[in-house]
Amino acid sequence: MLRNGAAAGGAGAHRPVRVWCDGCYDMVHYGHSNQLRQARAMGDYLIVGVHTDEEIAKHKGPPVFTQEERYKMVQAIKWVDEIAPGAPYVTTLETLDKYNCDFCVHGDDITLTIDGKDTYEEVKTAGRYRECKRTQGVSTTDLVGRMLLMTKAHHSNIDEDLDYRKHTDNFGKGPKGHSPWTGVSQFLQTSQKIIQFASGKEPQPGDTIIYVAGAFDLFHIGHVDFLEKVHQLAEKPYIIAGLHFDQEVNRYKGKNYPIMNIHERTLSVLACRYVSEVVIGAPYAVTADLLDHFRVTLVCHGMTEVVPDKDGSDPYEEPKRRGIFQLVDSGSNLTTDLIVQRIIKNRLEFEARNQKKEAKELAVLEAMKRLEEEKH
């Protein structure tokens, strides 16, 4: 296999560097997207292997999403060039060679097989493994914890409440303490993170500027289906997603929604290949000012219920008056509510799964520590 940019065409010709990532990609969040962004930056072409439901159930426990949903979700992340459905759980040189990849990239956390082995051992030994930084402040474990606990402590403007902290401690912790990989830490938004995720592209002449608004909470396949349909409405679509502030979402959704705060939702939506721009904290009512400012041609909403504004008015009154409002049927009935229900249904299995995962990780940490001590 040709490596290091060497090419059959002789000296000077550059062969694209092909990068491999793999995983379950169940409940995809901006932490996964950030890993794929970093991996893509290490080469020219990114292939992402996604495991089957059967493989995940064997090594980890039942996934929340079906493999079809997970394939589509990963394909919608803008740094992914190609997906490899049904990738094996343990990454081998055979897989890298099959897809003609130079190396594979994984975060600086650890993944273990059912019998506690590092799933990347073979490629590490062969020197075809690269590491990228894990995104601080988000993990599937933490998100599941927020869903199970009906508190609003994760919203961006509320002091953290002790109940939530106590619960997340239980949730991401085995009997012996914290694993740094599964535990919960605080997400801190920076302008740099937004710049890394943003497309940075201004609308071009001839673009159709389409505005969509919502919570886009726990960005999922229902959102992807909707945005893909909206994207197909124009030849050169420029989609702007307006994200409502946490308090606004809580007003119309109730309970402890949104599960992800405004900063987290911003990154999740920016990672989607169909979205060009995000308005952080968009007004609930789509106003004349907003439409004029962004020169919006079309405003779209899915088939979900539109809750009236605080004063009882229709938030889409202005775009309807201008004749630029369109309902879009995504063909998907998946909502954030349904996902939360799926997870609560599996609650006990998840808690057991996370505690088992944590115990395995702690055992590896202990072994690594002993090895270090024996060296000195």
Side-chain angles (χ1 to χ4, degrees):
M1 183 177 147
L2 298 162
R3 303 287 311 285
N4 303 330
H14 170 71
R15 185 182 73 72
V17 174
R18 289 166 68 89
V19 181
W20 173 268
C21 281
D22 56 28
C24 305
Y25 300 102
D26 194 23
M27 272 184 68
V28 169
H29 51 66
Y30 58 91
H32 296 117
S33 304
N34 197 33
Q35 183 227 343
L36 297 174
R37 179 188 68 77
Q38 293 177 79
R40 179 64 173 75
M42 294 182 195
D44 305 298
Y45 192 85
L46 175 63
I47 301 175
V48 181
V50 185
H51 311 318
T52 60
D53 295 347
E54 200 181 350
E55 280 276 84
I56 297 171
K58 182 174 134 191
H59 292 279
K60 266 184 124 171
V64 180
F65 292 100
T66 66
Q67 58 203 37
E68 294 310 321
E69 288 171 332
R70 292 181 292 106
Y71 298 156
K72 188 158 191 184
M73 197 66 206
V74 175
Q75 190 66 74
I77 295 170
K78 62 184 176 188
W79 298 286
V80 176
D81 293 299
E82 185 185 324
I83 65 157
Y89 198 80
V90 176
T91 312
T92 61
L93 294 171
E94 189 189 343
T95 302
L96 292 190
D97 291 345
K98 178 183 170 185
Y99 289 94
N100 199 16
C101 288
D102 295 85
F103 53 84
C104 84
V105 177
H106 188 67
D108 51 6
D109 56 340
I110 195 161
T111 61
L112 305 169
T113 60
I114 190 164
D115 43 13
K117 288 199 176 75
D118 179 353
T119 55
Y120 291 97
E121 200 171 338
E122 186 180 317
V123 289
K124 280 179 179 172
T125 310
R128 286 169 70 183
Y129 175 84
R130 305 278 187 281
E131 210 159 74
C132 63
K133 289 297 292 171
R134 182 182 159 87
T135 307
Q136 285 300 307
V138 66
S139 70
T140 306
T141 312
D142 175 31
L143 293 176
V144 172
R146 297 182 203 180
M147 288 174 219
L148 296 177
L149 198 79
M150 289 298 167
T151 165
K152 300 171 194 173
H154 51 276
H155 294 176
S156 57
N157 66 328
I158 298 172
D159 291 335
E160 189 165 40
D161 89 13
L162 290 171
D163 218 15
Y164 173 64
R165 176 51 54 200
K166 199 168 77 204
H167 184 75
T168 51
D169 280 355
N170 294 339
F171 203 84
K173 198 155 73 174
K176 288 197 178 148
H178 259 303
S179 152
W181 299 304
T182 305
V184 177
S185 64
Q186 178 80 41
F187 170 69
L188 300 170
Q189 182 73 284
T190 61
S191 55
Q192 185 56 31
K193 278 200 189 98
I194 293 177
I195 289 165
Q196 287 168 340
F197 272 61
S199 74
K201 291 191 186 81
E202 296 277 322
Q204 298 305 305
D207 283 358
T208 303
I209 300 173
I210 306 174
Y211 182 74
V212 297
F216 292 100
D217 194 14
L218 287 179
F219 193 76
H220 56 71
I221 198 74
H223 297 131
V224 168
D225 286 338
F226 167 68
L227 289 166
E228 186 183 23
K229 282 282 195 315
V230 171
H231 198 263
Q232 290 163 358
L233 294 174
E235 205 172 314
K236 290 174 66 191
Y238 185 95
I239 298 177
I240 301 174
L243 301 194
H244 302 139
F245 276 131
D246 297 345
Q247 304 90 302
E248 193 64 75
V249 175
N250 191 251
R251 176 186 73 80
Y252 64 81
K253 291 274 288 179
K255 296 184 193 155
N256 61 335
Y257 289 111
I259 303 295
M260 281 184 156
N261 68 42
I262 183 81
H263 304 307
E264 298 173 303
R265 291 183 284 122
T266 298
L267 293 186
S268 298
V269 175
L270 279 174
C272 178
R273 64 172 70 249
Y274 304 118
V275 174
S276 303
E277 181 62 289
V278 165
V279 181
I280 304 168
Y284 187 66
V286 181
T287 59
D289 279 354
L290 184 142
L291 296 173
D292 296 342
H293 177 81
F294 292 110
R295 301 196 301 281
V296 174
T297 320
L298 187 62
V299 176
C300 295
H301 185 80
M303 304 311 278
T304 53
E305 179 201 2
V306 178
V307 177
D309 205 347
K310 289 187 196 72
D311 61 4
S313 64
D314 175 359
Y316 291 109
E317 196 178 320
E318 182 60 23
K320 284 176 180 171
R321 195 184 65 73
R322 296 185 183 199
I324 59 167
F325 179 77
Q326 188 172 334
L327 281 176
V328 172
D329 188 351
S330 68
S332 166
N333 63 355
L334 198 60
T335 61
T336 306
D337 268 338
L338 283 174
I339 291 169
V340 172
Q341 282 165 30
R342 277 190 199 186
I343 286 159
I344 289 177
K345 190 168 147 271
N346 286 359
R347 173 181 184 157
L348 295 169
E349 282 180 57
F350 273 110
E351 293 215 335
R353 171 177 128 176
N354 282 324
Q355 293 209 345
K356 253 189 6 216
K357 180 171 174 248
E358 185 102 15
K360 264 198 257 181
E361 288 169 357
L362 285 167
V364 170
L365 270 184
E366 283 299 312
M368 278 156 67
K369 220 158 79 185
R370 275 202 303 278
L371 278 173
E372 274 304 304
E373 283 161 5
E374 282 162 18
K375 277 187 206 160
H376 299 305

